[in-house]
Amino acid sequence: MTEARITHIGGPTALVEVDGWRILTDPTFDPPGQRYFFGWGTTSRKVAGPSISPDELGPIDAVLVSHHHHGDNLDPSARDLLPRWGRVFTTKAGAKKLGGGATGLAAWDTTTLEAPGKPTITITATPCRHGPAGSDPITGPVVGFDLTWDGQEHGSLWVTGDTVFYRGLRDVAERRDVGTVLLHLGGVKFRYLSGGLRYTMDAKESLKLLDLLGATHVVPVHYEGWTHFKQGRSEAQRVLDASRHAGSVTWVDPGEAVTVQV
Protein backbone atom coordinates (compact mmCIF):
# COMPACT_ATOMS: atom_id res chain seq x y z
CA MET A 1 0.00 0.00 0.00
CA THR A 2 1.23 3.48 -0.79
CA GLU A 3 0.31 6.89 0.54
CA ALA A 4 -0.35 10.16 -1.25
CA ARG A 5 0.08 13.49 0.46
CA ILE A 6 -2.13 16.23 -0.99
CA THR A 7 -1.38 19.85 -0.10
CA HIS A 8 -4.04 22.40 -1.05
CA ILE A 9 -2.28 25.57 -2.24
CA GLY A 10 -5.43 27.46 -3.24
CA GLY A 11 -8.15 27.45 -5.88
CA PRO A 12 -7.52 24.39 -8.06
CA THR A 13 -3.85 24.21 -7.17
CA ALA A 14 -2.60 21.23 -5.20
CA LEU A 15 0.70 19.45 -4.66
CA VAL A 16 0.47 15.67 -4.88
CA GLU A 17 3.40 13.76 -3.38
CA VAL A 18 3.66 10.01 -3.83
CA ASP A 19 6.66 7.65 -3.70
CA GLY A 20 9.16 10.43 -4.38
CA TRP A 21 7.11 12.18 -7.05
CA ARG A 22 6.02 15.80 -6.58
CA ILE A 23 3.21 16.69 -8.97
CA LEU A 24 1.53 20.10 -9.17
CA THR A 25 -2.03 20.55 -10.44
CA ASP A 26 -3.42 23.63 -12.24
CA PRO A 27 -0.81 26.06 -10.88
CA THR A 28 -1.95 29.56 -9.88
CA PHE A 29 0.50 31.82 -8.06
CA ASP A 30 -0.53 35.39 -8.94
CA PRO A 31 -1.21 37.73 -6.00
CA PRO A 32 -4.83 38.72 -5.33
CA GLY A 33 -6.47 41.75 -6.91
CA GLN A 34 -5.91 40.95 -10.58
CA ARG A 35 -8.74 40.56 -13.08
CA TYR A 36 -8.82 37.79 -15.67
CA PHE A 37 -10.66 37.76 -18.97
CA PHE A 38 -11.99 34.43 -20.19
CA GLY A 39 -13.57 35.57 -23.45
CA TRP A 40 -17.17 36.30 -24.53
CA GLY A 41 -17.45 39.06 -21.95
CA THR A 42 -16.58 36.84 -18.98
CA THR A 43 -14.23 38.09 -16.29
CA SER A 44 -13.19 37.21 -12.77
CA ARG A 45 -11.12 38.85 -10.05
CA LYS A 46 -8.73 36.96 -7.82
CA VAL A 47 -9.50 37.61 -4.16
CA ALA A 48 -7.01 35.32 -2.40
CA GLY A 49 -3.36 34.61 -3.10
CA PRO A 50 -1.63 31.23 -2.91
CA SER A 51 -0.99 29.81 0.54
CA ILE A 52 2.50 28.70 -0.53
CA SER A 53 4.82 30.75 -2.72
CA PRO A 54 6.77 29.22 -5.61
CA ASP A 55 10.00 29.73 -3.66
CA GLU A 56 8.56 27.75 -0.73
CA LEU A 57 7.25 25.01 -2.95
CA GLY A 58 10.45 23.10 -3.59
CA PRO A 59 11.25 21.02 -6.69
CA ILE A 60 8.43 19.87 -8.95
CA ASP A 61 8.65 16.81 -11.20
CA ALA A 62 5.52 17.34 -13.27
CA VAL A 63 2.62 19.74 -13.76
CA LEU A 64 -0.92 18.79 -14.73
CA VAL A 65 -2.69 21.67 -16.49
CA SER A 66 -6.33 20.84 -17.19
CA HIS A 67 -6.50 23.81 -19.57
CA HIS A 68 -4.10 26.62 -20.33
CA HIS A 69 -6.46 29.39 -21.42
CA HIS A 70 -8.17 30.33 -18.12
CA GLY A 71 -6.20 32.29 -15.56
CA ASP A 72 -7.76 30.45 -12.63
CA ASN A 73 -6.11 27.23 -13.85
CA LEU A 74 -2.83 28.57 -15.22
CA ASP A 75 -2.02 32.18 -14.42
CA PRO A 76 0.85 34.31 -15.78
CA SER A 77 3.09 33.74 -12.74
CA ALA A 78 2.77 29.98 -13.04
CA ARG A 79 3.16 30.01 -16.81
CA ASP A 80 6.52 31.77 -16.45
CA LEU A 81 7.62 29.09 -13.97
CA LEU A 82 6.72 26.05 -16.07
CA PRO A 83 10.22 25.66 -17.58
CA ARG A 84 11.70 25.00 -14.12
CA TRP A 85 8.98 22.58 -13.04
CA GLY A 86 9.71 19.46 -15.04
CA ARG A 87 7.29 17.85 -17.46
CA VAL A 88 3.99 19.52 -18.33
CA PHE A 89 0.85 17.57 -19.28
CA THR A 90 -2.15 19.39 -20.71
CA THR A 91 -4.58 19.41 -23.64
CA LYS A 92 -3.30 19.12 -27.19
CA ALA A 93 -4.16 22.77 -27.82
CA GLY A 94 -2.43 23.75 -24.59
CA ALA A 95 0.74 21.88 -25.52
CA LYS A 96 0.96 23.79 -28.79
CA LYS A 97 0.55 27.12 -27.02
CA LEU A 98 2.88 26.39 -24.10
CA GLY A 99 5.63 24.71 -26.09
CA GLY A 100 8.71 23.67 -24.15
CA GLY A 101 8.07 20.00 -24.75
CA ALA A 102 4.66 19.98 -23.06
CA THR A 103 2.76 16.74 -23.63
CA GLY A 104 -0.69 17.23 -25.16
CA LEU A 105 -3.45 14.75 -24.39
CA ALA A 106 -7.00 14.25 -25.59
CA ALA A 107 -9.54 12.33 -23.55
CA TRP A 108 -8.44 8.71 -23.01
CA ASP A 109 -4.92 9.29 -24.29
CA THR A 110 -2.28 7.81 -21.99
CA THR A 111 1.35 8.59 -21.29
CA THR A 112 3.84 7.79 -18.54
CA LEU A 113 5.92 9.65 -16.01
CA GLU A 114 9.18 7.79 -15.40
CA ALA A 115 12.38 8.35 -13.43
CA PRO A 116 15.03 6.12 -11.85
CA GLY A 117 14.13 4.95 -8.36
CA LYS A 118 10.48 5.98 -8.63
CA PRO A 119 7.41 4.03 -9.68
CA THR A 120 6.20 4.63 -13.21
CA ILE A 121 2.98 6.64 -13.15
CA THR A 122 0.54 6.12 -16.00
CA ILE A 123 -1.41 9.27 -16.78
CA THR A 124 -4.74 8.89 -18.54
CA ALA A 125 -6.50 12.04 -19.73
CA THR A 126 -10.20 12.03 -18.88
CA PRO A 127 -13.05 13.91 -20.54
CA CYS A 128 -14.38 17.24 -19.30
CA ARG A 129 -17.13 19.57 -20.46
CA HIS A 130 -16.52 23.00 -18.97
CA GLY A 131 -20.13 24.15 -19.20
CA PRO A 132 -23.55 23.30 -20.60
CA ALA A 133 -24.04 21.27 -23.77
CA GLY A 134 -22.74 23.18 -26.78
CA SER A 135 -20.40 25.40 -24.78
CA ASP A 136 -17.16 23.75 -25.94
CA PRO A 137 -16.45 26.37 -28.66
CA ILE A 138 -16.67 29.04 -25.95
CA THR A 139 -14.92 27.33 -23.05
CA GLY A 140 -12.30 25.46 -25.07
CA PRO A 141 -10.75 22.02 -24.49
CA VAL A 142 -10.28 20.72 -20.94
CA VAL A 143 -9.08 17.38 -19.59
CA GLY A 144 -8.79 15.69 -16.23
CA PHE A 145 -6.00 13.30 -15.22
CA ASP A 146 -6.26 9.79 -13.80
CA LEU A 147 -3.01 8.55 -12.22
CA THR A 148 -2.13 4.90 -11.64
CA TRP A 149 1.03 3.19 -10.42
CA ASP A 150 2.06 -0.16 -8.97
CA GLY A 151 1.15 -0.65 -5.34
CA GLN A 152 -2.23 1.07 -5.36
CA GLU A 153 -4.78 -0.89 -3.34
CA HIS A 154 -7.75 1.46 -3.32
CA GLY A 155 -7.80 2.59 -6.95
CA SER A 156 -6.38 5.44 -8.97
CA LEU A 157 -5.94 9.10 -8.07
CA TRP A 158 -8.14 11.25 -10.30
CA VAL A 159 -8.02 15.01 -10.83
CA THR A 160 -11.41 15.80 -12.36
CA GLY A 161 -10.49 19.12 -13.97
CA ASP A 162 -13.08 21.84 -14.53
CA THR A 163 -16.26 20.12 -15.66
CA VAL A 164 -19.97 19.77 -15.15
CA PHE A 165 -21.54 16.35 -14.70
CA TYR A 166 -22.30 14.77 -18.06
CA ARG A 167 -21.94 11.50 -19.99
CA GLY A 168 -18.15 11.80 -20.13
CA LEU A 169 -17.89 11.55 -16.34
CA ARG A 170 -20.12 8.49 -16.37
CA ASP A 171 -17.59 7.00 -18.76
CA VAL A 172 -14.81 7.67 -16.26
CA ALA A 173 -16.75 5.85 -13.55
CA GLU A 174 -17.32 2.91 -15.90
CA ARG A 175 -13.79 2.69 -17.28
CA ARG A 176 -11.59 3.59 -14.32
CA ASP A 177 -11.24 2.22 -10.79
CA VAL A 178 -11.01 5.52 -8.92
CA GLY A 179 -10.01 5.53 -5.27
CA THR A 180 -9.07 9.15 -4.58
CA VAL A 181 -10.68 12.18 -6.23
CA LEU A 182 -9.35 15.72 -6.38
CA LEU A 183 -12.80 17.19 -7.00
CA HIS A 184 -13.17 20.53 -8.80
CA LEU A 185 -16.25 22.32 -7.48
CA GLY A 186 -17.16 26.03 -7.28
CA GLY A 187 -20.45 26.16 -9.20
CA VAL A 188 -18.87 28.63 -11.62
CA LYS A 189 -21.22 31.18 -13.21
CA PHE A 190 -20.69 34.32 -15.27
CA ARG A 191 -23.26 37.09 -15.03
CA TYR A 192 -23.20 38.21 -18.67
CA LEU A 193 -22.89 34.79 -20.30
CA SER A 194 -24.39 32.04 -18.26
CA GLY A 195 -27.59 33.32 -16.66
CA GLY A 196 -28.47 30.34 -14.51
CA LEU A 197 -26.01 28.01 -16.26
CA ARG A 198 -23.00 26.58 -14.48
CA TYR A 199 -19.51 25.92 -15.84
CA THR A 200 -18.26 23.60 -13.09
CA MET A 201 -20.01 21.26 -10.69
CA ASP A 202 -21.54 22.45 -7.48
CA ALA A 203 -21.72 20.08 -4.53
CA LYS A 204 -25.21 18.80 -5.30
CA GLU A 205 -24.24 17.92 -8.85
CA SER A 206 -21.03 16.26 -7.68
CA LEU A 207 -23.09 13.77 -5.67
CA LYS A 208 -24.21 12.20 -8.96
CA LEU A 209 -20.56 11.53 -9.74
CA LEU A 210 -19.65 10.31 -6.27
CA ASP A 211 -22.60 7.92 -6.33
CA LEU A 212 -21.08 6.29 -9.42
CA LEU A 213 -17.47 6.21 -8.24
CA GLY A 214 -17.59 4.83 -4.73
CA ALA A 215 -14.24 6.51 -4.07
CA THR A 216 -12.45 6.02 -0.75
CA HIS A 217 -11.18 9.60 -0.50
CA VAL A 218 -12.59 12.86 -1.89
CA VAL A 219 -10.64 16.11 -1.58
CA PRO A 220 -12.56 19.16 -2.89
CA VAL A 221 -10.67 22.03 -4.54
CA HIS A 222 -11.53 24.92 -6.93
CA TYR A 223 -14.15 26.57 -4.70
CA GLU A 224 -12.41 29.67 -3.29
CA GLY A 225 -10.17 32.53 -4.36
CA TRP A 226 -11.99 33.96 -7.43
CA THR A 227 -15.23 35.89 -7.84
CA HIS A 228 -16.66 33.54 -10.48
CA PHE A 229 -16.72 30.69 -7.97
CA LYS A 230 -20.33 30.97 -6.83
CA GLN A 231 -20.46 28.16 -4.27
CA GLY A 232 -17.91 28.38 -1.48
CA ARG A 233 -16.84 25.82 1.04
CA SER A 234 -19.51 26.45 3.69
CA GLU A 235 -22.43 25.82 1.34
CA ALA A 236 -20.73 22.93 -0.45
CA GLN A 237 -19.74 21.31 2.83
CA ARG A 238 -23.33 21.39 4.09
CA VAL A 239 -24.43 19.46 1.02
CA LEU A 240 -21.65 16.89 1.17
CA ASP A 241 -21.89 16.47 4.95
CA ALA A 242 -25.56 15.59 4.57
CA SER A 243 -24.84 12.93 1.94
CA ARG A 244 -23.84 9.29 2.25
CA HIS A 245 -20.36 10.31 1.10
CA ALA A 246 -19.63 12.49 4.13
CA GLY A 247 -17.19 9.97 5.60
CA SER A 248 -15.02 9.95 2.48
CA VAL A 249 -14.73 13.74 2.07
CA THR A 250 -11.77 15.63 3.52
CA TRP A 251 -11.71 19.43 3.33
CA VAL A 252 -8.17 20.77 3.28
CA ASP A 253 -7.62 24.45 4.02
CA PRO A 254 -5.17 26.25 1.74
CA GLY A 255 -1.71 25.67 3.14
CA GLU A 256 -2.72 22.43 4.84
CA ALA A 257 -2.26 18.82 3.71
CA VAL A 258 -3.88 15.42 4.05
CA THR A 259 -2.26 12.01 3.64
CA VAL A 260 -4.45 9.28 2.17
CA GLN A 261 -3.98 5.57 1.54
CA VAL A 262 -4.10 4.78 -2.17
Side-chain angles (χ1 to χ4, degrees), residues 52 133 143 147-148 151 197 201 232 236:
I52 300 172
V143 292
L147 309 182
T148 59
L197 301 175
M201 289 182 284

Side-chain angles (χ1 to χ4, degrees), residues 58-116:
I60 298 297
D61 299 299
V63 184
L64 308 178
V65 180
S66 65
H67 54 304
H68 72 288
H69 49 280
H70 290 164
D72 64 316
N73 296 86
L74 178 68
D75 61 22
S77 295
R79 187 165 180 160
D80 289 344
L81 290 165
L82 288 180
R84 84 181 203 192
W85 277 342
R87 295 188 64 185
V88 176
F89 301 91
T90 186
T91 63
K92 288 184 176 292
K96 290 179 181 178
K97 287 288 187 180
L98 297 176
T103 299
L105 302 169
W108 303 119
D109 286 348
T110 63
T111 188
T112 57
L113 188 59
E114 301 176 81

